Amino acid sequence: MKWMNVLNQEFLPQESSALPEKKPQGEEPIREEKPRGLSRQEVLRRKKEYGENVLVGKRKKHAVILFFEQYKDIMTMILLVCTAASVFMGEYVEAITIAVIVLMNGFLGFLQERKTERTLESLQAMAAPHANVFRGGVLCSQPASELVPGDLVLIEAGDRIPADGTLVSSVALSCDESMLTGESVAVKKGEDEQSVYMGCTVVGGRGEFLVEHTGMRTKMGQIAGMLNQISEEPTPLQKHLAGLSKYIAAGCLLICAIVSITGVLRGEDLFSMLITGVSLAVAAVPEGLCAVVTISLALAVSRMVKQNALVRKLHAVETLGCATVICSDKTGTITKNQMSVHAFSTMKTKECEKPDRSDEAIEQMLLCFRVCTAVQDDAPTHGSATEQALYRCASAEIPQKPPMTKVAEIPFDSTRKRMSVLMKTPGGGYTLYAKGAPDVLLSRCSSVQVGSRIVPLGAVERAQLVKQNGVLADRAMRVIGAAYRQAFDETDTAEEGLVFLGFAGLTDPPRDGVKQAVFRGRQAGIKTVMITGDHKNTAAAIAKQTGILTEGERVVTGAELDRMDDSTLRNTVMQTSVFARVSPEHKLRIVRAFKQRGQITAMTGDGVNDAPAVKEADIGVSMGKTGTDVTKEAADMILLDDDFSTMMTAVAEGRSIYANIRKFIRYLLSCNIGEVLTMFLGMLFSMPVILLPIQILLVNLVTDGLPAIALGLEPYDQNVMKKPPRKPEESIFSNGLGFRIIMCGILIGLTTLGSFVCVYRMTGDVTHARTAALFSLIFAQLLHVFECKTEEGSIFSISFFNNKKLIAAAAVSVTVLFCVMYVPWLQMIFSTVSLSFEELLWPMLFCLAAPVLRAVIHR
Ligand code: ATP
């Protein structure tokens, strides 16, 4: 790796090159004695002048357009035309009522679509990137949209560059500018190439740049439209249902046509039969199915965000329910990421908890941790938890900044597993300090410090040190080695021939709840796999504590992985639950191996090199706190709290939303079959028209919308995590759902028809019979909605009151039904009459008989 000189550690922006071209009047260049970055007032002033740092995206649909889009369905249009025609025929009341019902239906659809849109928009805002910016001398994380020209921004590997600007300092910085130039080779940045551009990503190193252009004035702004949006691609289920809806619609239309034509042949009025057919089509065609699925997915997504799982792509909600393997990082996800140094170990001092400063190796080690760090003195909270723990411990022992200047640095990355700095000492000499994974570092050492002596690192010493490392790792500690050597000049930067100093052991306890989550996963048929860059023993110890590694399961190291070909790896993965000392690049092979074994794999990641594996996984998961922008963008889901347990909660949500979708599909389709069948059988048996168009539309209004959505909001069933995962290729109608839908549809149809016949026989009046049929159809559907709460049990085994929204939706429907039946002016509009108790008795018995019958069959 090429060493980059640190251009200017104490850099302060230079007015000429770094400030934006359009310099506001009276603007003060930032002087040396001032804190780094702009002041809050200056930021406010510039924000007013330059606006937000955002790209103007695609235009949102206007509410009016969205409203009218609800009526673009061909059947609705025909119905509205027919309604207009009935006005000319003097059928004012009926025409107006139909129009009102159709309008209300459309309005409900409009409200639902708006809500879905708003939910997705707010999630998009949550997923928006942040930038590390110096404001008033303090490094803080701000939404990237808040940046203004003149801001001083810190960028690191994995960040998406938030604005255009000029570098003022950099350490081994390289950027991927392919989205602007199409060139996939990373561009090295430094003295020769100082411009950085919004939207490009940092692939390695770090740097600080001064913002020149923001928002649409950036290069990226000129290539408009490249917005980081939550994907609105339809999910596989939505696509499947869209296809299916077409067949159902075709079937319904055919039946509606038959109903109308038979009516006309039997001598019914042509125009009223046309309206009947079209009304039936409007009611029966499940055009709302896809919309309700989208709404439920969007609502599930907003529920999940409250539990810290931010879903970026809707299809992830579905896939989550099928997950069979969850590959998780260790540090920060399974553990708390609260690192603290708990042990020191050198050749002389085998182990001590507090650094024994009489041991010269420990003294040197502290110095190494004090200077060999990415933590900056003016940003001590920046850097990984490991860096901060080492820096905290070293600066508590050595509070004064050592009198040395950093001349060069190779930053830490998870593939190299080490970092080094070259320091110039006051006497004009140079010392190279290195820290990293002990095995990696030891292979670059030729001697070891024992007290004040430096002795050659022979096989005996190596074996001794490996043993000491193992002792710390066995106690679940992350172990960092330290080394140094005298360097000749400012170009002598090879990490070789080092003097090994010793180890620091860092503890990081497992997160609360992880053990339970792993157990829950096992019960649900989900295998948890830990993937870590840490030592085998450290990983195994944590995995045992959390129940991830059990009897008979293996720990595989990165070195072993390198020796395996793909087929061996494929045969090994299912017995492996820990991958230790792996590099991010290994993760891709691991994901592929699991996928080739037919597993639906979730993979977490945070660093820039994790992005390919996260993208490859069926469910790519990025960490919200420690995740880089690049990984977040590759991910389907972001864990806002970085917690492993959240993933299990998300899987449970994914499973329950799928179960809920099945519930309302069952409900909607069986009700629609019931409606069509009623009319069809009526015609077939030469009965009078069972329901008038206006009545059919009323049924559609009160039973299809609200109860179906409320069913999608069913609280999550505790049993979902006690079953094995669903197979992704499994049809939504699997496990007999299709059969049940048809049976229930037939029963609803027969119930309605039975009620009609009974009351017709009792009263000899068709209006009475129609009112009874209307009552039956709505009442049977409302009973059925409660039946749909459970797949396994019957209506007698459900908990009625655990979904208040469903109760409310049913109550609204019942109220509307009774008003239509008993309020005189509504009776006039809907052609109904008041039914006596006796007349209601039979329809009621019919309606109740169906669920009772099903419960008996079920037993
Ligand atoms: P996990 O998956 O558990 O989060 P990781 O894959 O991110 O782990 P890394 O952070 O890559 O693991 O660390 C790998 C090894 O590199 C550690 O075991 C440690 O020995 C060493 N290491 C970690 N951080 C640093 C650092 N800042 N400087 C030097 N060495 C480090």
Side-chain angles (χ1 to χ4, degrees):
M1 171 176 293
K2 188 169 169 256
W3 279 73
M4 291 283 306
N5 280 337
V6 178
L7 295 178
N8 181 357
Q9 276 293 301
E10 309 299 339
F11 171 83
L12 285 157
Q14 275 138 42
E15 196 186 348
S16 58
S17 66
L19 280 180
E21 283 163 25
K22 193 178 170 193
K23 205 171 136 196
Q25 274 208 339
E27 175 193 325
E28 281 282 298
I30 307 154
R31 297 225 171 78
E32 296 237 352
E33 62 273 13
K34 282 195 175 171
R36 303 217 292 160
L38 298 173
S39 66
R40 305 266 153 196
Q41 294 94 307
E42 187 55 29
V43 170
L44 286 179
R45 201 182 65 69
R46 292 186 186 209
K47 216 172 140 190
K48 257 194 206 142
E49 181 169 353
Y50 294 99
E52 284 211 314
N53 178 31
V54 287
L55 299 182
V56 182
K58 71 170 184 200
R59 290 203 166 199
K60 255 180 56 185
K61 260 185 221 158
H62 194 276
V64 178
I65 297 179
L66 197 66
F67 179 75
F68 281 110
E69 272 189 0
Q70 309 298 318
Y71 304 98
K72 69 174 191 229
D73 166 50
I74 184 84
M75 281 301 136
T76 314
M77 280 194 210
I78 298 179
L79 191 65
L80 287 174
V81 171
C82 293
T83 318
S86 23
V87 173
F88 288 109
M89 295 177 175
E91 304 271 357
Y92 297 118
V93 179
E94 186 180 290
I96 291 169
T97 316
I98 291 182
V100 168
I101 293 180
V102 173
L103 279 178
M104 275 173 73
N105 244 335
F107 189 64
L108 274 182
F110 164 76
L111 288 183
Q112 289 160 4
E113 205 165 309
R114 278 291 272 215
K115 183 161 172 67
T116 313
E117 210 176 74
R118 293 233 168 98
T119 312
L120 293 179
E121 261 171 30
S122 68
L123 293 176
Q124 193 175 324
M126 290 186 73
H130 277 60
N132 286 313
V133 54
F134 286 92
R135 294 270 168 90
V138 184
L139 183 69
C140 51
S141 170
Q142 290 285 320
S145 59
E146 300 281 306
L147 290 187
V148 290
D151 261 331
L152 182 62
V153 178
L154 172 73
I155 43 174
E156 289 172 300
D159 286 351
R160 188 166 283 286
I161 298 171
D164 285 3
T166 304
L167 281 174
V168 293
S169 72
S170 66
V171 178
L173 184 72
S174 55
C175 299
D176 174 359
E177 296 186 342
S178 55
M179 73 184 325
L180 285 180
T181 60
E183 178 56 67
S184 58
V185 180
V187 183
K188 291 210 159 48
K189 298 281 173 178
E191 266 167 306
D192 303 334
E193 173 57 64
Q194 297 187 343
S195 299
V196 288
Y197 302 104
M198 180 194 223
C200 299
T201 51
V202 182
V203 256
R206 64 166 191 273
E208 286 171 11
F209 77 95
L210 210 56
V211 175
E212 278 179 24
H213 299 297
T214 54
M216 293 306 277
R217 282 180 294 270
T218 58
K219 268 201 178 193
M220 174 81 155
Q222 288 154 18
I223 315 167
M226 285 185 181
L227 270 180
N228 163 34
Q229 282 181 342
I230 290 190
S231 145
E232 287 167 25
E233 265 268 290
T235 73
L237 177 63
Q238 282 171 314
K239 283 188 203 154
H240 176 68
L241 285 177
L244 188 85
S245 297
K246 283 193 192 125
Y247 289 111
I248 299 178
C252 285
L253 291 181
L254 186 70
I255 297 179
C256 296
I258 296 176
V259 168
S260 309
I261 294 167
T262 323
V264 175
L265 292 179
R266 267 184 21 203
E268 302 275 352
D269 169 48
L270 173 77
F271 188 69
S272 68
M273 272 300 104
L274 182 65
I275 297 198
T276 307
V278 177
S279 307
L280 190 55
V282 168
V285 173
E287 74 285 340
L289 200 61
C290 293
V292 184
V293 172
T294 315
I295 295 162
S296 338
L297 286 175
L299 291 178
V301 165
S302 62
R303 220 172 28 234
M304 282 162 86
V305 94
K306 291 195 190 108
Q307 309 192 36
N308 289 319
L310 171 59
V311 173
R312 293 187 68 246
K313 295 169 190 161
L314 274 189
H315 73 77
V317 184
E318 267 172 57
T319 324
L320 270 169
C322 307
T324 53
V325 172
I326 296 182
C327 297
S328 170
D329 287 339
K330 175 180 73 67
T331 310
T333 313
I334 288 171
T335 62
K336 289 184 173 162
N337 208 20
Q338 288 168 3
M339 300 255 182
S340 52
V341 182
H342 260 252
F344 287 88
S345 171
T346 63
M347 275 298 249
K348 182 178 163 210
T349 313
K350 292 295 172 287
E351 199 183 316
C352 60
E353 213 169 286
K354 283 233 114 244
D356 174 1
R357 298 187 63 175
S358 66
D359 180 349
E360 218 163 284
I362 291 185
E363 187 66 21
Q364 279 290 342
M365 207 176 350
L366 289 170
L367 192 59
C368 174
F369 293 149
R370 182 70 173 80
V371 296
C372 181
T373 178
V375 178
Q376 298 179 25
D377 282 323
D378 59 354
T381 55
H382 197 68
S384 70
T386 310
E387 283 284 310
Q388 286 185 37
L390 291 170
Y391 178 80
R392 248 192 339 264
C393 169
S395 52
E397 294 293 328
I398 310 172
Q400 287 296 325
K401 201 173 170 190
M404 298 189 248
T405 35
K406 196 189 275 186
V407 246
E409 174 184 335
I410 306 186
F412 174 80
D413 80 51
S414 292
T415 307
R416 286 169 19 87
K417 297 191 172 44
R418 61 181 189 275
M419 76 169 288
S420 328
V421 291
L422 184 64
M423 304 297 290
K424 188 170 183 185
T425 51
Y430 294 91
T431 309
L432 180 82
Y433 288 96
K435 72 184 204 300
D439 32 340
V440 175
L441 215 56
L442 272 172
S443 66
R444 297 176 171 269
C445 292
S446 54
S447 46
V448 57
Q449 177 128 7
V450 187
S452 55
R453 290 179 306 124
I454 294 176
V455 301
L457 189 59
V460 178
E461 287 80 9
R462 265 182 210 281
Q464 171 62 36
L465 288 170
V466 168
K467 198 170 144 203
Q468 280 177 244
N469 179 15
V471 168
L472 297 181
D474 276 341
R475 279 155 51 204
M477 287 193 205
R478 163 169 276 206
V479 189
I480 308 279
Y484 78 110
R485 79 172 167 82
Q486 298 307 328
F488 300 115
D489 55 30
E490 59 180 36
T491 60
D492 179 19
T493 52
E495 292 164 304
E496 262 148 31
L498 302 170
V499 182
F500 192 76
L501 292 167
F503 311 101
L506 289 85
T507 55
D508 180 17
R511 280 177 180 269
D512 304 327
V514 167
K515 198 170 179 176
Q516 290 86 321
V518 172
F519 177 71
R520 226 173 135 211
R522 264 187 212 279
Q523 271 194 324
I526 301 168
K527 178 180 172 68
T528 304
V529 179
M530 178 199 278
I531 302 185
T532 175
D534 258 340
H535 191 276
K536 186 176 180 173
N537 299 18
T538 313
I542 297 273
K544 275 186 198 149
Q545 282 175 20
T546 49
I548 294 173
L549 184 66
T550 54
E551 209 52 49
E553 287 178 315
R554 287 184 60 181
V555 182
V556 169
T557 63
E560 288 164 342
L561 209 68
D562 284 332
R563 289 194 293 273
M564 287 182 196
D565 59 15
D566 286 346
S567 80
T568 320
L569 179 60
R570 253 197 320 273
N571 294 333
T572 316
V573 280
M574 292 314 286
Q575 293 81 43
T576 309
S577 49
V578 177
F579 289 92
R581 264 298 182 257
V582 290
S583 301
E585 293 74 22
H586 287 127
K587 284 186 167 181
L588 193 59
R589 283 191 69 201
I590 298 171
V591 171
R592 287 197 176 136
F594 275 118
K595 282 178 78 175
Q596 283 159 3
R597 291 296 298 264
Q599 303 297 314
I600 304 299
T601 314
M603 168 67 86
T604 68
D606 45 16
V608 57
N609 299 339
D610 290 339
V614 167
K615 212 168 197 149
E616 176 77 18
D618 297 293
I619 309 150
V621 184
S622 163
M623 297 302 134
K625 291 185 186 161
T626 56
T628 52
D629 295 344
V630 178
T631 322
K632 282 182 188 163
E633 276 165 32
D636 303 304
M637 185 170 89
I638 300 174
L639 294 185
L640 296 176
D641 57 358
D642 292 10
D643 190 343
F644 175 79
S645 317
T646 304
M647 204 127 63
M648 263 333 148
T649 316
V651 170
E653 273 291 347
R655 286 188 180 194
S656 23
I657 186 62
Y658 192 81
N660 284 356
I661 288 176
R662 268 173 73 99
K663 286 175 193 168
F664 65 67
I665 286 182
R666 172 181 166 193
Y667 169 70
L668 278 178
L669 292 187
S670 43
C671 290
N672 286 4
I673 290 177
E675 288 163 21
V676 174
L677 205 69
T678 305
M679 296 297 284
F680 183 65
L681 291 181
M683 285 293 165
L684 204 67
F685 297 128
S686 303
M687 294 182 188
V689 175
I690 309 280
L691 288 172
L692 299 174
I694 208 168
Q695 294 168 338
I696 298 174
L697 290 171
L698 180 76
V699 174
N700 188 42
L701 181 71
V702 295
T703 58
D704 265 19
L706 294 180
I709 295 176
L711 205 52
L713 294 172
E714 273 289 290
Y716 116 34
D717 172 9
Q718 295 302 327
N719 289 330
V720 286
M721 289 302 270
K722 300 214 168 97
K723 297 176 202 158
R726 164 177 65 85
K727 297 210 168 47
E729 64 279 2
E730 198 176 284
S731 153
I732 184 98
F733 299 108
S734 64
N735 295 330
L737 189 72
F739 177 73
R740 238 171 298 157
I741 288 175
I742 294 173
M743 287 316 290
C744 292
I746 293 176
L747 278 178
I748 292 175
L750 291 181
T751 302
T752 314
L753 218 57
S755 306
F756 183 91
V757 173
C758 242
V759 175
Y760 191 62
R761 289 245 168 101
M762 237 191 247
T763 60
D765 175 37
V766 75
T767 312
H768 273 78
R770 278 193 186 127
T771 311
L774 179 72
F775 169 83
S776 270
L777 193 54
I778 294 181
F779 195 51
Q781 294 191 10
L782 291 180
L783 281 177
H784 185 50
V785 79
F786 286 97
E787 264 189 305
C788 290
K789 279 168 78 93
T790 170
E791 276 208 33
E792 286 87 27
S794 69
I795 197 163
F796 300 106
S797 60
I798 58 160
S799 43
F800 258 95
F801 300 103
N802 65 350
N803 182 355
K804 303 269 179 323
K805 294 202 171 80
L806 186 60
I807 304 269
V812 169
S813 302
V814 170
T815 313
V816 172
L817 173 65
F818 278 98
C819 289
V820 165
M821 284 170 66
Y822 293 101
V823 175
W825 62 271
L826 284 174
Q827 285 179 337
M828 260 173 49
I829 293 175
F830 288 94
S831 308
T832 53
V833 284
S834 308
L835 294 186
S836 66
F837 181 70
E838 291 80 49
E839 287 158 0
L840 266 185
L841 199 60
W842 279 109
M844 243 188 294
L845 283 179
F846 280 133
C847 288
L848 288 171
V852 174
L853 190 71
R854 278 192 291 264
V856 173
I857 294 171
H858 187 81
R859 290 180 70 192

